[in-house]
Amino acid sequence: MYKVINKFMDKDGRVYEVGKPYPAEGKKLTKTRAEFLTKVHPEYDIAFLEFIEEKEEKKEAKTSKNKKTADEKGSDE
């Protein structure tokens, strides 16, 4: 998943605001487009997107929670 770090208008005319996820719901993102938007643009001297690992963080949080619950159960028995 990507997060918008600088406001921009995509090729389809959609404006992406800072802090919002990219791409918009229902839109697909190609690897080439993602690479282009995460690199510093030669004309504007900024990048537009930042890669975020939201899914990995959620998985780790769930794993930690489940592990703690299992440990708590074991100590009570």
Side-chain angles (χ1 to χ4, degrees), residues 2-9 16-20 22 33 36-50:
Y2 293 86
K3 178 176 76 172
V4 178
I5 56 173
N6 285 294
K7 183 178 176 177
F8 71 99
M9 183 183 297
Y16 286 91
E17 299 288 339
V18 174
K20 299 295 182 181
Y22 183 88
R33 184 70 175 152
F36 177 78
L37 292 170
T38 55
K39 292 182 181 174
V40 175
H41 191 280
E43 183 179 343
Y44 302 110
D45 201 30
I46 57 172
F48 296 99
L49 298 180
E50 173 183 63

Side-chain angles (χ1 to χ4, degrees), residues 41-70:
H41 191 280
E43 183 179 343
Y44 302 110
D45 201 30
I46 57 172
F48 296 99
L49 298 180
E50 173 183 63
F51 179 72
I52 55 173
E53 297 183 39
E54 181 182 357
K55 290 181 181 179
E56 289 299 319
E57 291 173 7
K58 285 183 180 178
K59 285 181 185 176
E60 289 176 15
K62 284 182 180 180
T63 302
S64 296
K65 184 178 179 181
N66 290 341
K67 192 174 194 178
K68 184 176 179 181
T69 303

